[in-house]
Amino acid sequence: MKKMLIMAAKAVHMVSNLFAWISAAVLFFMASVSFVDVIGRYFFHHPLTGAQEIIEVSMSIFVYTGLVLAIKLRRCIAVPVIVERLSPRIQLLVTAVGNALCCGMSGLLIWQLALSSAKQLARSSVGTPVLKIPYGPFYAIALVGYVLIALELLILVITDLHDFICWNSTRNAGVTGEEGTETCK
């Protein structure tokens, strides 16, 4: 069971890393579009047609692919005013509970995004005003991103709960030089 969890976590992390690269490429693309738009507007008096729409739809890709990496690396904003006063072991438990709540909320968002994505993909004629870029694929990308976010949060919950449960055995192993208990290896 533990090997399956480790293999699943590695697979999720590989897809998360791919999404991080996609996020970086989209950020570069958005910067390039903005650069071309500004140069066209101020030097040639002809802005790039639909630049704002391109940036808007690209932003949805950037956010939902980049947020996965932030969750994976635990780089989200936190205000630990109360939690930092607790013992490190209790901090692990509070973090696990918080991540579990976020995972549950992600499940609700996944459900709503799945419904919205299905509606948008069915209405392929609905799109941006100028370039007529359909919204459906961007809803689908957000859906996949949120599935990855939920999986990364679930991995964090399992990891933190494991560390919380095995706190004494791992701490004592470091002090006494003995191995931890069989369940916590």
Side-chain angles (χ1 to χ4, degrees):
M1 181 72 162
K2 187 176 178 181
K3 287 184 181 182
M4 285 181 20
L5 285 173
I6 291 171
M7 286 175 38
K10 284 183 180 180
V12 170
H13 290 328
M14 282 177 37
V15 177
S16 296
N17 289 338
L18 174 66
F19 265 48
W21 283 102
I22 292 170
S23 182
V26 169
L27 180 62
F28 178 77
F29 173 73
M30 288 188 314
S32 300
V33 168
S34 294
F35 178 77
V36 169
D37 185 44
V38 168
I39 296 297
R41 176 174 291 138
Y42 291 109
F43 291 112
F44 300 111
H45 304 292
H46 191 300
L48 184 63
T49 304
Q52 181 178 356
E53 290 179 0
I54 294 169
I55 298 295
E56 286 174 359
V57 294
S58 297
M59 186 67 76
S60 68
I61 297 171
F62 172 69
V63 168
Y64 290 108
T65 56
L67 190 56
V68 177
L69 184 65
I71 297 292
K72 175 185 164 194
L73 299 177
R74 298 181 189 242
R75 296 287 191 242
C76 294
I77 296 173
V79 183
V81 174
I82 297 172
V83 178
E84 69 185 3
R85 298 179 195 279
L86 302 172
S87 70
R89 184 171 187 224
I90 299 300
Q91 287 180 15
L92 269 175
L93 182 62
V94 169
T95 302
V97 169
N99 285 336
L101 290 172
C102 290
C103 188
M105 291 302 296
S106 294
L108 292 174
L109 288 169
I110 288 167
W111 176 45
Q112 289 299 313
L113 276 170
L115 296 175
S116 297
S117 180
K119 285 180 189 175
Q120 289 296 329
L121 288 171
R123 294 188 286 166
S124 60
S125 63
V126 177
T128 59
V130 176
L131 297 178
K132 307 294 186 217
I133 301 170
Y135 292 125
F138 301 99
Y139 276 87
I141 291 169
L143 175 63
V144 173
Y146 252 104
V147 168
L148 280 173
I149 288 168
L151 291 173
E152 287 290 352
L153 285 167
L154 186 60
I155 290 167
L156 291 177
V157 169
I158 292 169
T159 303
D160 288 345
L161 286 177
H162 177 269
D163 291 348
F164 175 78
I165 292 167
C166 298
W167 184 267
N168 288 334
S169 63
T170 56
R171 296 304 179 254
N172 290 340
V175 174
T176 63
E178 299 174 8
E179 295 270 335
T181 62
E182 190 64 33
T183 59
C184 293
K185 283 188 177 179

